[in-house]
Amino acid sequence: MAQDRIVSSIKDQELIMKRRSQIVQGAVSLFREKGFHRTTTREIAKECGFSIGTLYEYIRTKEDVLFLVVDSIHHQVRDRLEEKIDLKNPSIDTFISMLESFFRLMDDMQEEVLILYQEVKSLKRESKSYVLEKERLMVGMLERVIVTCLPDEISPQDARLLANNLFVQGQMWGFRRWILQKQFTLDEYMERQIRFLLQGLGISYTDRGK
C-alpha cells in the first residue's frame, strides 16, 4: 500500500488514514496556488489546522506529502473511471460512453492532474516508479475497454497505442485549456475527438448502438 511507504510515529491506522487525507486536501490547495517547491511544511500544517509537530507525526518530509497527494489523485481517477466502465454489454456505444466519462472526469480533475504532471518530477526514483506504474494501470483500463468493445476493429498492439493516445487526449483538455477552452465547450471537444477516432478506425458515427 502507498500509505505503508510513509513512516509514521502513530500506530492507529484509522487515525493515520484520516489525518493523511486532511494533509492531502490541504496540500492540494497550496500546490495549486504556489506549486510544490514554494510551499513549506509549516504552511501545509497551518492549512490542515495542525501544529508543525502534529504534521510530522504522519509524514517525515515534504516529499512524503507530495507522494500522498500524487497517490491520492491516481486513486481518485482510477476509482471514478472504474465506476463508469461497464463491459457486460460491449459495443461501440459502451466504448463511446466510457470515453465521454473519461473526458468529463479529466475536466472535473484538471487542477489535480496538472499538479500530478507538474510535480511528479520532484519525487525520488522509487516513488516515481510507483507513480508511473499507477498510470500504466489506468491506461490498461482504457486498453481493456478498447479490446472488449472493438474486438474486430483493432489489434491488441494498436489497442495499446490507442489507449495511450486517449489518455493524453483527456489530459490535454486541462494541459492546453488556455486555448482549447476558449475555442470549444467540453461537449464540442469530446464530440470532435470521438468522431475523429471512429473515422480513423473506419467506424461511422451512425454505427453507434450496433
Side-chain angles (χ1 to χ4, degrees):
M1 291 179 58
Q3 296 284 343
D4 298 336
R5 291 171 168 265
I6 309 299
V7 176
S8 172
S9 61
I10 304 299
K11 303 304 179 185
D12 185 334
Q13 291 300 310
E14 185 174 341
L15 182 59
I16 290 173
M17 295 293 287
K18 178 180 178 181
R19 291 289 183 258
R20 285 182 174 171
S21 177
Q22 292 174 278
I23 291 169
V24 166
Q25 291 177 25
V28 165
S29 176
L30 289 168
F31 291 170
R32 284 176 182 167
E33 179 184 350
K34 303 179 64 174
F36 170 71
H37 291 289
R38 292 175 58 210
T39 299
T40 67
T41 51
R42 192 169 296 279
E43 288 172 326
I44 294 170
K46 182 178 179 180
E47 185 74 16
C48 299
F50 299 161
S51 69
I52 190 69
T54 298
L55 179 71
Y56 279 115
E57 290 179 340
Y58 297 96
I59 55 100
R60 285 291 177 269
T61 66
K62 191 170 72 167
E63 186 191 294
D64 286 349
V65 177
L66 177 59
F67 178 80
L68 291 173
V69 167
V70 169
D71 191 62
S72 174
I73 292 170
H74 269 130
H75 276 284
Q76 288 181 63
V77 173
R78 182 202 65 191
D79 291 346
R80 290 183 59 180
L81 191 57
E82 282 183 339
E83 287 178 2
K84 299 297 183 181
I85 293 178
D86 179 10
L87 299 180
K88 295 177 182 177
N89 299 297
S91 65
I92 295 173
D93 249 4
T94 302
F95 173 64
I96 292 174
S97 178
M98 181 278 296
L99 278 184
E100 291 173 342
S101 296
F102 177 63
F103 283 131
R104 293 190 188 283
L105 172 59
M106 291 295 97
D107 178 59
D108 289 344
M109 296 190 65
Q110 55 187 282
E111 295 290 349
E112 287 85 352
V113 172
L114 282 172
I115 290 173
L116 181 66
Y117 289 102
Q118 287 173 346
E119 307 297 355
V120 72
K121 63 182 180 296
S122 300
L123 291 171
K124 293 180 181 177
R125 179 178 298 179
E126 182 182 357
S127 296
K128 191 182 298 183
S129 296
Y130 172 88
V131 167
L132 294 177
E133 179 60 26
K134 288 277 188 177
E135 179 166 317
R136 280 190 286 268
L137 289 174
M138 284 190 288
V139 173
M141 292 170 64
L142 299 180
E143 183 181 344
R144 178 162 51 91
V145 175
I146 292 167
V147 170
T148 304
C149 294
L150 306 173
D152 299 325
E153 284 83 8
I154 189 166
S155 70
Q157 186 175 17
D158 286 344
R160 190 168 300 115
L161 179 58
L162 178 57
N164 280 278
N165 286 344
L166 294 176
F167 201 69
V168 172
Q169 285 176 7
Q171 295 166 343
M172 185 170 69
W173 177 247
F175 288 157
R176 293 185 59 78
R177 62 186 178 186
W178 59 275
I179 186 168
L180 288 175
Q181 295 183 23
K182 293 179 181 179
Q183 297 176 331
F184 305 98
T185 65
L186 177 60
D187 285 340
E188 289 170 342
Y189 178 78
M190 290 192 302
E191 191 275 335
R192 282 168 170 76
Q193 291 285 20
I194 292 170
R195 177 158 46 84
F196 293 153
L197 167 64
L198 295 182
Q199 288 174 348
L201 294 172
I203 303 171
S204 169
Y205 210 54
T206 58
D207 288 341
R208 294 185 60 172
K210 294 185 180 180

